[in-house]
Amino acid sequence: MLAELACFEQKCGASFPITETIYNCPQCGGLLEARFTEDCVDALPLKKLWRDRRTSNQVLDQSGVWRYRELLPFDGHHHQAVSLREGNTPLLDAARAAEYGGLDRLTFKHQGFNPTGSFKDNGMTCGVTQAVRLGRQRVACVSTGNTSASMAAYASAAGLDPIVFIPRGNISYGKLAQALEYGARTLQIDANFDQILALVRSLADVAGIYLLNSINPFRIEGQKSIIFELLDQRDWNPPDWIVLPGGNLGNTSAFGKALRELRRFGFIAKMPRLAVIQAEGSAPFYEFMRTRGEFRSVPEPRTLATAIRIGDPVSWPKALYEITESNGVVEKVSEQEIADAKAIIGRCGIGCEPASAATLAGIRKLIGSSIIRADEDVVAILTGNVLKDPDYIYQYHTGQLKDPEGRPIESHFGNQPVIVPNDAGAIAKILER
Ligand code: F0G
């Protein structure tokens, strides 16, 4: 559909051509979003078309993002799409996690099944496609891990030059390895995510960089497809709740926008409620929603869940709007709660990285405070793959994990590896226990 870039601030209302390279409103500094300028969507035939595309061998149809291209702002530019067959992530029932959380039933949508291992691929395919559409060669992002791996892969697939900025020492090896392997120029800086993002934003014009952090509205557009696919997989029956971790709040913004568009165009009649979960030491949005005062960033965010170690989330105004529109809630959870929930998700045979596990920890808390009811229909989004933070996993299971303050995290669901002698009889005896 035809679209423009519109200022998210209601009182500003400025709009700009979709091909302008801007990340904030040039008039008021507000966030930007892609907004459709036409209203010609017919839900029923589109539902059928999208379902039929699942059996197609065409690249765009096979992508779990571009399959839904009618609701993406790339009209006439689909031939430029850069796809690694992202999306197509499963809905997984998890009885043990449901029981732990206090629910009758719980479904995970696992974005860790994406090509580079996280939901970032849903957004990056669109962000990099926009870079190609604009004729940009040099793309960059700041990242605590997943964004860098995703951007490096998609940029290299498109023949662009990726530059990755990372907080030195605060990125998982697996993710750093991906960025290097996919050929990104990788710059490590002694500063945290928020500080580096401010630095790179000021550098973007000077260094001819197209910025691919989630402030880029096309990333948000791609991440809408997580919701499109989720509802398509449920035959367009919305759950009562969609639970997700919150860091920079790009996903919260994308999910809310997707749901509003689906309601506006008649795909769904009911809005699920969004529940955003933050880590206790990195919870500026939670505090803001609790007090409803001024938005205060957390200067030194702390959590082992590095993906959500973000103290100054750029998308908070959008997230506020989406939480309000969906009658949503924001909760925070401790390091211990995240670690235990993560082990339980592992025991379901599913597994995820630490930030993703905040969802189950949050559900347990929201059940405890009767905000979510046990019989409600809940989908939690696992944002990243279990292999993201292997050190964390090993330390948890061997009782060595410590929170950022150096306090031990108890391994309530630990699974220690055991050293045994090279002796069948002795091993058989051990296995009897
Ligand atoms: N989960 C995972 C696995 C992530 O990688 C991120 C963000 C989030 C959740 C938070 O999502 O920002 O949309 O609220 N990771 C960024 C990165 C910071 O650099 O990869 P959000």
Side-chain angles (χ1 to χ4, degrees):
M1 257 200 298
L2 292 174
E4 60 188 7
L5 284 173
C7 180
F8 195 75
E9 291 298 322
Q10 315 260 308
K11 55 186 184 306
C12 172
S15 60
F16 310 90
I18 197 79
T19 47
E20 204 119 315
T21 306
I22 43 175
Y23 311 102
N24 285 94
C25 174
Q27 288 181 18
C28 78
L31 295 168
L32 294 172
E33 69 169 1
R35 199 172 286 164
F36 296 124
T37 50
E38 43 185 358
D39 216 337
C40 55
V41 174
D42 205 346
L44 261 186
L46 269 186
K47 284 181 184 177
K48 181 171 183 323
L49 177 67
W50 292 345
R51 186 60 61 91
D52 290 348
R53 282 178 181 162
R54 287 203 206 176
T55 56
S56 158
N57 280 331
Q58 299 298 315
V59 173
L60 289 189
D61 296 346
Q62 286 192 347
S63 161
V65 175
W66 297 100
R67 182 177 305 137
Y68 305 100
R69 53 193 173 270
E70 285 76 10
L71 291 189
L72 299 176
F74 287 90
D75 220 35
H77 293 268
H78 297 131
H79 62 287
Q80 291 175 308
V82 183
S83 173
L84 295 169
R85 312 304 184 277
E86 51 289 320
N88 297 304
T89 61
L91 287 179
L92 303 168
D93 277 331
R96 189 157 185 175
E99 191 190 337
Y100 177 78
L103 287 168
D104 297 344
R105 204 186 141 200
L106 173 61
T107 309
F108 289 119
K109 180 155 178 66
H110 205 325
Q111 295 305 113
F113 282 60
N114 261 299
T116 75
S118 82
F119 75 93
K120 304 289 179 179
D121 294 344
N122 288 70
M124 207 52 79
T125 181
C126 287
V128 168
T129 298
Q130 183 67 5
V132 171
R133 176 183 184 177
L134 298 172
R136 306 299 295 254
Q137 185 60 30
R138 187 181 260 191
V139 294
C141 70
V142 184
S143 177
T144 61
N146 283 315
T147 306
S148 61
S150 183
M151 191 201 68
Y154 281 84
S156 288
L160 308 183
D161 304 327
I163 307 174
V164 161
F165 294 85
I166 53 177
R168 186 154 161 247
N170 271 327
I171 176 168
S172 84
Y173 249 144
K175 289 289 147 180
L176 181 56
Q178 277 181 292
L180 299 176
E181 187 82 352
Y182 297 138
R185 202 176 332 166
T186 303
L187 309 178
Q188 310 192 63
I189 303 184
D190 275 319
N192 69 28
F193 178 94
D194 306 298
Q195 293 161 333
I196 305 175
L197 183 57
L199 178 88
V200 177
R201 282 174 74 171
S202 68
L203 193 72
D205 283 344
V206 193
I209 283 169
Y210 186 62
L211 193 57
L212 280 171
N213 276 96
S214 59
I215 189 156
N216 183 314
F218 297 92
R219 283 265 320 271
I220 302 293
E221 287 301 300
Q223 285 167 216
K224 289 187 320 192
S225 65
I226 300 167
I227 296 295
F228 298 161
E229 187 176 78
L230 187 167
L231 286 160
D232 187 2
Q233 287 165 319
R234 291 173 51 104
D235 299 321
W236 302 98
N237 289 314
D240 296 310
W241 291 92
I242 296 175
V243 186
L244 70 159
N248 227 353
L249 302 171
N251 241 3
T252 309
S253 312
F255 287 15
K257 186 170 193 279
L259 291 168
R260 284 188 289 113
E261 288 176 359
L262 291 177
R263 188 180 53 181
R264 168 180 163 201
F265 297 130
F267 287 84
I268 53 171
K270 183 191 99 170
M271 284 283 267
R273 299 176 71 181
L274 293 177
V276 174
I277 317 297
Q278 297 210 289
E280 227 165 55
S282 187
F285 190 51
Y286 167 83
E287 289 304 333
F288 170 69
M289 294 301 282
R290 194 177 61 82
T291 57
R292 290 300 180 113
E294 218 175 291
F295 190 88
R296 284 177 205 282
S297 56
V298 174
E300 284 186 28
R302 293 169 84 81
T303 170
L304 298 178
T306 50
I308 51 174
R309 188 192 286 161
I310 292 173
D312 193 10
V314 289
S315 293
W316 74 261
K318 287 186 177 178
L320 166 63
Y321 184 78
E322 305 304 353
I323 290 291
T324 311
E325 276 289 296
S326 74
N327 189 23
V329 297
V330 185
E331 184 54 278
K332 66 173 181 180
V333 289
S334 69
E335 297 296 303
Q336 180 72 54
E337 288 168 322
I338 293 174
D340 287 337
K342 180 168 147 51
I344 295 290
I345 296 168
R347 291 279 179 96
C348 297
I350 293 175
C352 65
E353 60 83 72
S356 308
T359 54
L360 179 58
I363 288 168
R364 190 172 153 96
K365 226 168 151 179
L366 291 167
I367 287 271
S369 54
S370 303
I371 292 172
I372 299 183
R373 282 197 332 264
D375 63 350
E376 284 190 294
D377 184 354
V378 181
V379 178
I381 311 295
L382 299 180
T383 44
N385 191 282
V386 67
L387 290 176
K388 179 168 175 220
D389 285 295
D391 292 352
Y392 179 114
I393 299 177
Y394 183 78
Q395 287 170 13
Y396 176 84
H397 287 291
T398 54
Q400 302 172 62
L401 192 62
K402 293 200 168 62
D403 76 8
E405 268 47 72
R407 293 176 300 226
I409 290 180
E410 311 246 347
S411 68
H412 294 134
F413 306 100
N415 181 22
Q416 288 254 18
V418 184
I419 298 168
V420 295
N422 185 8
D423 176 335
I427 294 173
K429 241 191 205 126
I430 289 167
L431 290 180
E432 274 167 21
R433 279 187 233 135

